[in-house]
Amino acid sequence: MSTSEPVVLAIDAGQTAIKVRVERPATAPVDRLFPGIRTHEPLLPQLADVARAVAAEQHLTVDVVTAGVSGLTRHESDASGLHRMLGLPADVRRVILAHDSVTSFLGALGEGTGAVVAAGTGVVTLGVGRTRVARVDGWGNIMGDAGSGYWIGREALDAVMRAHDGRGERTALTGLVTQQWPDLESAYIELQAAEDRVFIVASLARGVAELAANDAVAAQICLRAARELSVSATSALRRVAEADDVDPPAVCAIGGVFRADVIRERFGELVREAFPTVRLEPSHGSGIDGAAALAHLSPSHALLSYVSTSG
């Protein structure tokens, strides 16, 4: 097998699903789907299990294994450890492991420069310059994730309880929340006891966006979310900018939060106010595209400092 045309087994590991792609020379890619990573169990053995299962199913001799992983910690970012666990033939020359913000960036903007804001239940922004990389937010719902689906849902719950107490403006969001919790005064007890409370709170974001056209409170929450997301994007761009940059920066907004027109449009306005020459680009691809791109990342690319490599 030519070293310029490796057999790549790429993994995009999220909490909802694990996507796997096999890329072979002169053959159409093969995609497989597995249940999401189990956050209460060690991560690397789960990735190794998936890689072995796909290699056996496809009768593969794999050259490169890559993985972009949601919530990857520094402790878990151990490509050598994953390499040892794979148990595949010695032909596996390289293993590359990265946080999913890296693979989201590569999927969205390729090897270009700029910032990618990925906003779903949580949010993380990655800025990439010619020599610098900056991660902004992605610090979880307790310490960060400003403008995320969870953040929007939490703001809605706060607004509803303020209205209930007479501390805040009446809002149609009350109807949205009482669909799930008819007794508002016991809702906080039910939420605290729910194992999937982060998902439950984030699931309210869609309803908030739908009400924004006719409800001032919902509209303000969406506009504040757009501002938080724009601040993350512009902060990332500033951190990676260099004095001799010539090309205008690119910004790509991905994830379910940006399906809301009110958020996406206001986000674009605010980013342009801060960077008038910015290019707002649609995503070129997905997280699994970015995971596969790790195998071909230029040896001089700034993102190499954000990946763990074995071999």
Side-chain angles (χ1 to χ4, degrees), residues 81-100:
L82 177 58
H83 205 160
R84 291 191 297 270
M85 291 180 191
L86 285 172
L88 295 174
D91 298 283
V92 178
R93 299 195 308 270
R94 282 191 300 153
V95 174
I96 308 170
L97 190 57
H99 189 272
D100 67 342

Side-chain angles (χ1 to χ4, degrees), residues 243-265:
D244 58 346
D245 284 341
V246 175
D247 295 332
V251 170
C252 182
I254 60 176
V257 166
F258 288 109
R259 294 192 190 110
D261 292 344
V262 63
I263 296 176
R264 184 180 65 256
E265 291 170 4

